[in-house]
Amino acid sequence: MSRGRYEEVVGVSDGPEAGRTPAGAGAAVGPPVLSLALATLLEAVHAHSGAVYLLRPDEPVLEMAVTAGMPRAFAAPWQRVGLSAPIPVAEAVRERRVVWVGGEVQMARRYPRIAVVLPYPFALAAAPVATGAKVYGAVFVTWPGAHPPELSEAEREQVTAACERLALRLERAARDRRHVGPEADLLAAPPAGIADSLGSVEATRMVSRLPYGLASLDLHGRIGFVNAAAVELLGRPAEDLLGTLPWVSLSWLNDPMYEDRYRAALISQQVVSFVALRPPGDWLSFRLYPSTSGLSVRVTRARAVTELARAAPEVSPRPARLVTISQVLSLAGALTEAVGVRDVVQLVWEEVVPAVGGQALAVLAQQGGRLHVLGHRGYRDPRVVERFDGLPLTEPTPGTHVLNSGVPAFFGSRAELERLYPNRGDTPDGYAAWAYLPLVASGRPVGTCVLAYAEPHVFPADERAVLTSLGGLIAQALERARLYDAKLRLAHGLQQALLPHSLPALPGIEAAARYLPATHGMEIGGDFYDLVPARPLAAAVIGDVQGHNVTAAALMGQIRTGVRAYTTVGQAPHEVMSSTNRLLTDLGSELFASCLYLRLDPARGRAVMARAGHPPPLLRRPDGRVRVLDLAGGPLLGIDAAAVYPTTEVALAPGSVLVLYTDGLVESPGVDIEDALVNLGGLLSEAGDQPLESLADEILRHSAAARERLDDVAVLLLRAGDR
């Protein structure tokens, strides 16, 4: 192959901007103290990104001085952090300790502001840079989402030692009156390998011969390389692509969801994939392989989406949960993970009972002057425990006595128990020793924990002390859990009030819908759907507000109400979407929403659709063929008040089925979206003729993402009737 031919089909960007980032806020004076410390720490703990903050001398503010491993723009909201802010680096300085966030669930629970901006799987550790006398700043480092949920002792020691060494260097610099300030951000250099051994030209020639498209993105998302196959698939010359962002140079990728996939891959350091339509009808599959120096992108034709022929791969089994306990301190950490009352009961059963040698457990509480059984495990006959539910607190039983007095009671044998409570012999539970532990929280008894033993058991003083301490920890978790359960009942009531209780009957349209809350957090979210029986044409809408909390649900209700109002007054689909977008912007919420709106005209067999960053619907034709609809669209609602939302008209022949859904139906770890759409399309092709209610159940039953329920799932099915 000649040199000229090679340059025609392959593009490589090696200009001054490729692979480098300018300093965030100027250059440092003297040697790069901060950069060297950060790079050394990242190497020591095998982290992939991080940053150093310096404390301003004149105000309680941490300023980012240098970053490594990711674009500074990713941390733009936290360039300057107040010491009182609910941010890990600020908390590390306030409390002079290492702050650990073990994944996206912990991040969402403890630091929701960060989770909204970076909703990706990654782990983070933050630590103060301080001597005994002075705080100089803070450091954070991040690991990919595959990092174990706990920070190892070796990693903790490395982070702490690195921060202590940096603090001493800063102390010496201050003593010597050497200024240490912001430094150039560190972006990894391309790794040595094939280019070194074969030569860069031959390496590029080798890649250019591969039958699928390959591209390279730097940490900022700029294209640094495309091979011949990628140029052909993307439909643009190499010179138009190099040095650009894909979602800027390729108009059909100008959708926030595609840039989000790049951010997700870079932050989580996990392989991410998506499918996109290159007009007029070529579906392309993109698979992003991240590293600390950028991303490699494989581009292929997504024939499976158009042909709907491949089966989706099975989801790998979830990892086994680790069950460990080290007396009181370890249990304290475990109990912080318990959410509801059932979680507390299950955790005590799994962690406490085996550790202390028990065989059965009952957790009792008082409500309205009566005893209530919150949960039990290990009893052969559940009625033995449940008969105490509703017992007045004045009854002379060990459970009521401990709850009323707050004093623990230990019975090493049946004889000891029946000596004080002779009537207890009338209700044998099959056990031979018991520990009744008062659950005291905020200075008042909230319940009783009963541990039962199969054999007579001696309770020495030290064991009684440990068990009593465990009772205090269980009480705190139980109090939090009961408060959470109360909030959850309120949240579910709000969710049910905001979603339609039933779908209205529309002439010429049959409809069915399903909603499943996520199994994490408050089990309440912002997914919504609705049918609006307006005249002369009815409308349908489905959408997804960020978050899984009451705020998201309340905002969802406002959006749904707005859509109904704008539809009722006769606005066109693009006007409804624009008006709803302005409404969300005017509300001043920090949350965004995706939305898909349809104006239905079954008499003409047509539907007009407008899309705001929402997954495209699927259409099953009467002959069983299924296709993903190519819809024009605009950005997510709430981003740009001036955004416009073009519309697309779609033919609806009698018997056609439209499947509208939120991303919780098709996005699941370990499953490509392409394969999920293939699986869904195959199901629709085979089972689309059955009644819609049955079809809705089948769709949820066959969705891996819906089974895991890491996100809310909403599905709205519409079938066109005879004209």
Side-chain angles (χ1 to χ4, degrees):
M1 180 181 290
S2 69
R3 172 78 174 180
R5 175 63 177 164
Y6 154 74
E7 290 180 335
E8 289 176 2
V9 299
V10 178
V12 181
S13 174
D14 57 0
E17 292 300 317
R20 294 195 295 271
T21 259
V29 176
V33 175
L34 307 179
S35 303
L36 180 60
L38 182 58
T40 303
L41 175 57
L42 292 178
E43 179 69 18
V45 298
H46 306 292
H48 78 278
S49 67
V52 177
Y53 286 78
L54 294 179
L55 182 63
R56 286 187 58 87
D58 54 345
E59 57 180 324
V61 171
L62 292 166
E63 286 189 334
M64 187 180 292
V66 63
T67 66
M70 71 171 64
R72 180 177 285 256
F74 281 12
W78 309 288
Q79 298 267 20
R80 285 170 50 89
V81 176
L83 287 184
S84 61
I87 302 296
V89 288
E91 185 174 322
V93 170
R94 290 196 307 268
E95 301 182 9
R96 292 287 195 101
R97 66 178 180 87
V98 175
V99 174
W100 169 249
V101 185
E104 57 186 334
V105 175
Q106 285 190 29
M107 185 68 77
R109 185 180 301 159
R110 295 168 56 188
Y111 306 103
R113 296 183 188 177
I114 297 178
V116 167
V117 179
L118 301 175
Y120 314 114
F122 67 98
L124 178 146
V129 176
T131 63
K134 185 174 180 179
V135 176
Y136 291 92
V139 169
F140 80 79
V141 292
T142 67
W143 289 266
H147 188 282
E150 298 298 331
L151 186 67
S152 71
E153 284 303 316
E155 290 169 332
R156 186 180 295 272
E157 290 172 4
Q158 291 275 14
V159 170
T160 303
C163 290
E164 290 174 350
R165 289 193 297 269
L166 178 57
L168 291 176
R169 292 192 184 98
L170 294 175
E171 184 179 53
R172 284 196 297 269
R175 188 170 55 244
D176 298 338
R177 297 189 178 182
R178 285 186 290 109
H179 174 70
V180 177
E183 299 174 1
D185 292 344
L186 300 174
L187 297 185
I194 295 177
D196 289 344
S197 59
L198 299 180
S200 58
V201 172
E202 184 57 29
T204 309
R205 284 175 177 167
M206 180 183 71
V207 173
S208 71
R209 301 182 192 115
L210 296 176
Y212 43 79
L214 288 175
S216 175
L217 307 183
D218 66 14
L219 292 178
H220 296 282
R222 296 183 296 240
I223 300 174
F225 170 86
V226 285
N227 71 348
V231 167
E232 179 183 357
L233 288 169
L234 298 177
R236 292 289 299 274
E239 55 266 27
D240 292 349
L241 297 172
L242 295 177
T244 70
L245 302 172
W247 42 91
V248 173
S249 55
L250 299 169
S251 59
W252 44 276
L253 285 181
N254 186 17
D255 190 308
M257 71 171 64
Y258 301 131
E259 183 178 357
D260 177 75
R261 296 296 83 198
Y262 144 77
R263 290 162 58 91
L266 201 58
I267 293 176
S268 69
Q269 291 290 292
Q270 295 179 352
V271 177
V272 170
S273 65
F274 63 90
V275 293
L277 177 69
R278 194 198 84 181
D282 292 326
W283 284 96
L284 300 181
S285 173
F286 294 79
R287 185 179 288 263
L288 283 58
Y289 298 87
S291 76
T292 55
S293 60
L295 294 93
S296 296
V297 183
R298 191 185 73 176
V299 188
T300 57
R301 296 188 185 279
R303 295 183 177 88
V305 173
T306 53
E307 298 170 2
L308 295 169
R310 282 205 326 244
E314 294 186 6
V315 181
S316 57
R318 303 177 71 172
R321 191 176 71 85
L322 294 177
V323 180
T324 61
I325 183 171
S326 177
Q327 294 294 351
V328 179
L329 293 179
S330 293
L331 178 64
L335 284 172
T336 60
E337 301 176 2
V339 179
V341 171
R342 294 176 61 183
D343 295 333
V344 173
V345 174
Q346 187 65 25
L347 184 60
V348 173
W349 169 245
E350 293 176 344
E351 306 281 0
V352 178
V353 176
V356 300
Q359 281 76 41
L361 162 75
V363 179
L364 315 174
Q366 70 87 19
Q367 183 177 345
R370 293 184 178 274
L371 195 68
H372 285 271
V373 179
L374 298 181
H376 58 82
R377 301 287 189 277
Y379 289 92
R380 301 180 186 88
D381 185 357
R383 292 173 296 180
V384 170
V385 181
E386 292 168 356
R387 69 179 63 186
F388 291 99
D389 194 66
L391 191 72
L393 294 183
T394 54
E395 287 291 320
T397 68
T400 55
H401 176 77
V402 169
L403 195 154
N404 288 326
S405 66
V407 178
F410 301 93
F411 306 96
S413 66
R414 178 174 296 276
E416 290 183 18
L417 178 65
E418 294 179 355
R419 186 165 54 248
L420 291 177
Y421 300 95
N423 294 334
R424 184 66 170 73
D426 297 335
T427 58
D429 57 14
Y431 292 100
W434 300 264
Y436 286 80
L437 309 176
L439 304 181
V440 180
S442 303
R444 61 183 180 84
V446 296
T448 301
C449 178
V450 184
L451 301 174
Y453 298 76
E455 303 294 335
H457 186 85
V458 177
F459 295 95
D462 57 346
E463 184 175 344
R464 295 186 182 207
V466 169
L467 289 174
T468 303
S469 298
L470 292 176
L473 295 174
I474 296 169
Q476 295 176 28
L478 184 63
E479 188 175 43
R480 290 194 304 269
R482 296 186 76 179
L483 177 62
Y484 174 88
D485 284 348
K487 290 181 178 179
L488 187 59
R489 288 192 294 271
L490 176 63
H492 280 177
L494 174 63
Q495 182 92 64
Q496 294 302 317
L498 293 176
L499 288 172
H501 296 288
S502 60
L503 296 176
L506 301 180
I509 294 291
E510 179 187 356
R514 294 292 185 272
Y515 171 81
L516 293 176
T519 54
H520 296 275
M522 288 288 290
E523 298 186 14
I524 179 174
D527 287 21
F528 66 96
Y529 59 86
D530 201 2
L531 284 183
V532 186
R535 294 182 180 276
L537 299 177
V541 64
I542 191 166
D544 182 1
V545 179
Q546 286 178 321
H548 304 104
N549 51 38
V550 175
T551 302
L555 190 62
M556 170 266 284
Q558 291 173 300
I559 294 175
R560 179 173 167 242
T561 301
V563 169
R564 274 188 162 260
Y566 300 135
T567 301
T568 302
V569 300
Q571 288 190 357
H574 70 279
E575 295 174 321
V576 171
M577 198 70 83
S578 297
S579 298
T580 306
N581 177 52
R582 288 192 296 271
L583 169 66
L584 188 55
T585 305
D586 293 342
L587 289 174
S589 171
E590 296 181 354
L591 302 180
F592 305 134
S594 69
C595 189
L596 180 62
Y597 179 86
L598 292 74
R599 186 62 56 85
L600 300 167
D601 189 354
R604 293 178 54 240
R606 315 294 291 178
V608 179
M609 307 183 186
R611 183 170 71 101
H614 199 81
L618 273 65
L619 174 65
R620 183 190 188 273
R621 294 171 176 168
D623 59 6
R625 289 182 297 164
V626 179
R627 67 187 182 98
V628 181
L629 295 180
D630 172 26
L631 301 181
L636 296 169
L637 301 177
I639 293 179
D640 179 9
V644 295
Y645 297 92
T647 58
T648 303
E649 186 171 285
V650 177
L652 288 182
S656 298
V657 177
L658 271 173
V659 180
L660 318 180
Y661 57 92
T662 55
D663 54 12
L665 182 71
V666 295
E667 290 191 0
S668 176
V671 177
D672 287 350
I673 295 178
E674 176 187 347
D675 292 328
L677 289 175
V678 168
N679 192 31
L680 177 58
L683 174 65
L684 291 175
S685 180
E686 295 176 4
D689 289 329
Q690 62 182 284
L692 284 193
E693 293 294 337
S694 300
L695 180 59
D697 292 335
E698 283 289 312
I699 288 174
L700 294 182
R701 188 159 43 246
H702 284 79
S703 167
R707 288 194 298 270
E708 294 181 0
R709 289 168 61 185
L710 300 178
D711 194 4
D712 305 341
V713 178
V715 177
L716 179 60
L717 306 182
L718 304 172
R719 175 178 283 149
D722 295 331
R723 302 175 194 172

